[in-house]
Structure formats: C-alpha cells, structure tokens
Amino acid sequence: MHVKPRAVCLIMLRFTAFAGVALAPCAEAAGIHHVNVTNTVHIAHGLKWSPRFWLGNQDDPVPPDDYRPRDRHRVQRWYFRNPTHNLTFYVIGLADKTFRRAGRYPDEVFNPRGGWNWAVCKYKWVRLPFISFQRKSFKFYLGWRERGDFGGKLTFH
C-alpha cells in the first residue's frame, strides 16, 4: 500500500495545528501559509478588567457622519450595533498584540475560491483557532479572525 506524503502531512497537520506544533516540511506540502500581524493599538492591561470597557468601542467611539444621518437616535443605535466590540477585539482577542497567523489563507476570513478556510493565531503559548466556509449564498465563520478579534457569523439566503 502506497501512501502519498502530502496526505500524511495533511492528516498530521489537522491533528497538530491547533496544538501549535510546527511541522515546516509538511506545512509547505499542505499549502499552509504564515503571516505576521502587527497591531499598533495599545490598551492598558488594567482597562481590560473593567466591564464598562468591555461594552465600549475603542476604535470608533463616535458614529461616522454617513451612519443614519437623519436619525435622532443614531448615537444610541451605534452603540447597540456592536455592544461588545472591545470585549471581542481586546479582552478575549489579540487586536492589540503582534502575533503570527498560520493557515490556508491566513490573511483572509473566507477562502477566495469558496469552500473551507482555517487558521490559527499564535501568540506566545496561546493558540486560537478559526474556521470558515463559504458556498454560494451560505457563509459561516467562528473563531479569531485575521486581525485577532473573536467573531462568529452564519448567513444564508
């Protein structure tokens, strides 16, 4: 029985990718790519312990001019649009850290050709998984995205 080295590498990578084991020759054979993500935002560590910070939006605290310009409740609706931005980006996410991301298309949320995409964010000893699938009008993702923020989405028409 002949087993192709690429198939063996793919099986090994699936079992070890989320544990963070580096298998360089197998990674090349399986088409795994690496990117370094450099985030320039700095959040004070003490701020991350505050539940009030979790419910804010550090990146866009004020809605842009084109967001519901005639709505008198636009500011309140802006905050309800994504009430846990700081939590998902900076408390459980890595959006204020420099980290390495490895996967099929590590700098993308979805596979540009459709189908499955997966990646792992590597920060020190922490490994944070990501998986997505896209086919026609169906889209799904769950995990730590390309900027290091945690998110999930399921849409279909």
Side-chain angles (χ1 to χ4, degrees):
M1 180 173 142
H2 177 70
V3 179
K4 294 181 180 178
R6 179 176 164 87
V8 171
C9 287
L10 281 171
I11 292 167
M12 289 170 53
L13 281 168
R14 287 190 177 128
F15 283 106
T16 60
F18 292 102
V21 176
L23 299 172
C26 289
E28 290 176 12
I32 295 175
H33 307 282
H34 299 269
V35 293
N36 291 321
V37 180
T38 304
N39 288 309
T40 57
V41 176
H42 176 72
I43 306 295
H45 186 70
L47 200 58
K48 294 181 181 186
W49 290 97
S50 169
R52 185 172 181 197
F53 174 76
W54 301 349
L55 300 175
N57 188 332
Q58 184 77 18
D59 298 330
D60 296 310
V62 178
D65 293 336
D66 62 345
Y67 179 76
R68 299 180 183 253
R70 293 183 197 94
D71 189 347
R72 65 183 190 151
H73 300 291
R74 66 189 286 274
V75 174
Q76 293 86 354
R77 291 183 186 199
W78 178 253
Y79 287 114
F80 285 119
R81 189 180 138 268
N82 188 358
T84 59
H85 173 84
N86 288 347
L87 178 72
T88 59
F89 273 70
Y90 305 117
V91 178
I92 64 171
L94 300 172
D96 61 333
K97 309 268 188 270
T98 295
F99 61 94
R100 190 167 173 90
R101 194 161 193 253
R104 278 183 92 181
Y105 299 96
D107 52 348
E108 304 283 339
V109 171
F110 294 103
N111 181 336
R113 297 181 184 103
W116 291 99
N117 188 23
W118 63 270
V120 178
C121 293
K122 301 174 182 181
Y123 177 71
K124 295 183 181 179
W125 55 269
V126 177
R127 302 298 184 259
L128 302 171
F130 174 82
I131 190 162
S132 72
F133 182 78
Q134 173 181 329
R135 182 78 66 210
K136 296 181 182 173
S137 62
F138 178 85
K139 287 185 175 184
F140 161 80
Y141 69 77
L142 182 65
W144 283 264
R145 295 179 283 191
E146 75 285 357
R147 262 192 63 199
D149 55 311
F150 178 80
K153 182 177 187 176
L154 173 65
T155 59
F156 53 93
H157 303 286

